[in-house]
Amino acid sequence: MCLAIPGCLVAISGQGELRIGRVDFGGVSRDTSLVFVPEATVGDHVLVHVGFAIAVIDEDLARETLEALAMLDALAEPAPIADALAASVDAAPRNNHGQPRRIFGREDLEEGR
């Protein structure tokens, strides 16, 4: 399943195909390529999929999408999605030094990476 998450474009750097936007996802910000949305400006809401803004959307659609995602997270059993991901990291195979092989870390989950 593919999933695009809405966020608010708070800053833009670069020019042309090298434009990068800083997108806020409810308090967590990430750099995002704007190559597919050259019309995007600061303050716009965009849908982001795998690091690329793929569409400019209106604020109402962004809010509705975030509310729907929150409802899905609330239905998660027995724990919210972030807790389940953290548990999978704890159960990860160990390297030669007895440490979990790092695909992503708990701090990545807590910071929304």
Side-chain angles (χ1 to χ4, degrees), residues 63-85:
R63 182 181 32 76
E64 290 171 15
T65 303
L66 289 172
E67 288 171 359
L69 291 171
M71 287 175 37
L72 287 174
D73 192 44
L75 295 174
E77 299 257 345
I81 294 169
D83 291 344
L85 289 173

Side-chain angles (χ1 to χ4, degrees), residues 6-9 23-24 40-47 55-63 66:
C8 183
L9 186 57
V23 178
D24 177 64
T41 60
V42 171
D44 284 345
H45 287 78
V46 292
L47 280 177
V56 176
I57 61 173
D58 66 40
E59 186 175 357
D60 290 336
L61 180 57
R63 182 181 32 76
L66 289 172

Side-chain angles (χ1 to χ4, degrees), residues 93-101:
R94 304 291 171 168
N95 64 18
N96 294 337
H97 304 288
Q99 300 170 334
R101 281 190 237 156

Side-chain angles (χ1 to χ4, degrees), residues 11 13 20-23 25 29-34 48 50-52:
S13 60
I20 299 294
R22 191 76 176 161
V23 178
F25 301 95
S29 295
R30 294 286 175 258
D31 289 336
T32 303
S33 173
L34 302 176
V48 178
V50 295
F52 290 87

